[in-house]
Amino acid sequence: MAFWDSLWPGREAQFESGNAATNSIVLSKRHATVSLTKQGALTGNLRVNLSWRMRTSDIEGRSRQSGRLLRPLKLFQPDVVQAHTQGVVNVDLDLGCMYELTDGTKGVVQPLGNLIGDLNAPPYIRLSGDDRFGAPSGETVYVNLDQRDQIKRLLFFVYIYDQTPAFDRTHAKVTLYPGNGPRIEIELDERAPQARSCAVFTVENVKGELIVRREVKFVYGFQSELDRLYGWGLQWGRGYKSRA
């Protein structure tokens, strides 16, 4: 952003553009939207990935701090570990997507209830795998952008399945990988210690233009509360996962 733009905050671009150095777009409160159409990312599959990790300081408290007195700078750099390497961690983050097609069809793709979807038939969305341990690969949902004209709107969300709320201890990130153009990153970085679900971003078809909008809105309930917040109108009931 130019110096003059900092003097007039309203002059910044409506849509965030890519970072040439990292080939990525980071959506924030200030730059909350990006156009897939203007990025030229309208063909192939849009890959949406959820990854997460936890800090050892969140798990072990300050029991290890005494050993860092010889290295005081380390006090401000807690070690980062993959969640599944800590036996005491019992958090299972899931990635899901509510969809509405242009013909009025509505539904959800999510691990709960084994609602994995279909990539080559309605809803043109498919869940690949269910990561229950915070592995580096995370969870991934694919969207068939070759069928973008059939998609009216999508809501991607993350929820904690049947465990203690721990979004504050879980450093989660959702990354969009279009078939063309820079990846798009959204950090779930706001404090909501008792939240069980989070609306991460929406994709809307606005007169043929696909627009991604950062939401990062935490709620204390589950999918039904997100449904009411965004007016989807689905019927929800208690669901379970198949045993691993």
Side-chain angles (χ1 to χ4, degrees):
M1 181 174 65
F3 169 76
W4 296 111
D5 290 334
S6 66
L7 298 180
W8 290 280
R11 291 184 58 184
E12 65 264 14
Q14 180 181 3
F15 295 109
E16 179 62 279
S17 58
N19 184 321
T22 62
N23 194 34
S24 67
I25 295 171
V26 178
L27 294 186
S28 62
K29 284 185 176 180
R30 185 174 183 181
H31 298 287
T33 58
V34 63
S35 169
L36 292 179
T37 303
K38 293 180 179 178
Q39 295 292 332
L42 290 179
T43 59
N45 294 330
L46 171 67
R47 179 163 60 98
V48 180
N49 177 258
L50 165 68
S51 59
W52 57 278
R53 59 189 181 181
M54 299 188 74
R55 296 185 185 275
T56 55
S57 59
D58 293 332
I59 301 166
E60 301 171 3
R62 297 187 177 274
S63 60
R64 298 179 59 191
Q65 295 300 325
S66 59
R68 296 184 179 183
L69 294 179
L70 297 178
R71 295 178 295 170
L73 291 178
K74 287 292 184 180
L75 291 173
F76 304 100
Q77 298 176 350
D79 295 332
V80 176
V81 297
Q82 293 299 331
H84 70 286
T85 64
Q86 298 291 334
V88 297
V89 177
N90 198 21
V91 179
D92 181 7
L93 295 186
D94 281 343
L95 176 66
C97 176
M98 295 184 204
Y99 60 84
E100 181 178 358
L101 304 182
T102 53
D103 66 0
T105 302
K106 296 180 182 179
V108 63
V109 171
Q110 63 179 17
L112 200 60
N114 198 34
L115 301 171
I116 62 173
D118 194 312
L119 198 57
N120 298 309
Y124 308 109
I125 305 162
R126 184 175 176 85
L127 171 70
S128 176
D130 175 19
D131 168 34
R132 304 188 184 188
F133 305 102
S137 59
E139 293 189 3
T140 300
V141 170
Y142 292 89
V143 180
N144 186 349
L145 293 185
D146 290 334
Q147 300 293 332
R148 60 188 179 279
D149 291 341
Q150 308 301 319
I151 297 172
K152 180 177 180 180
R153 61 172 178 158
L154 308 175
L155 170 63
F156 279 85
F157 59 92
V158 173
Y159 61 96
I160 297 177
Y161 172 71
D162 201 27
Q163 303 293 348
T164 302
F167 273 114
D168 271 13
R169 295 189 295 118
T170 305
H171 298 252
K173 178 172 70 174
V174 173
T175 306
L176 291 69
Y177 297 91
N180 183 54
R183 68 180 182 271
I184 302 166
E185 299 178 355
I186 304 173
E187 298 273 359
L188 277 62
D189 53 3
E190 298 179 16
R191 296 186 61 83
Q194 298 303 314
R196 302 198 69 100
S197 306
C198 178
V200 182
F201 71 94
T202 58
V203 180
E204 289 193 75
N205 190 334
V206 181
K207 298 180 179 179
E209 182 176 7
L210 288 185
I211 296 176
V212 176
R213 178 179 297 276
R214 176 190 183 273
E215 298 291 334
V216 190
K217 293 181 179 178
F218 289 93
V219 299
Y220 299 104
F222 292 97
Q223 294 92 321
S224 59
E225 189 169 342
L226 292 173
D227 183 317
R228 288 192 295 271
L229 184 63
Y230 287 88
W232 234 265
L234 300 177
Q235 298 294 320
W236 299 90
R238 179 66 175 173
Y240 300 90
K241 291 185 182 182
S242 59
R243 294 187 179 273

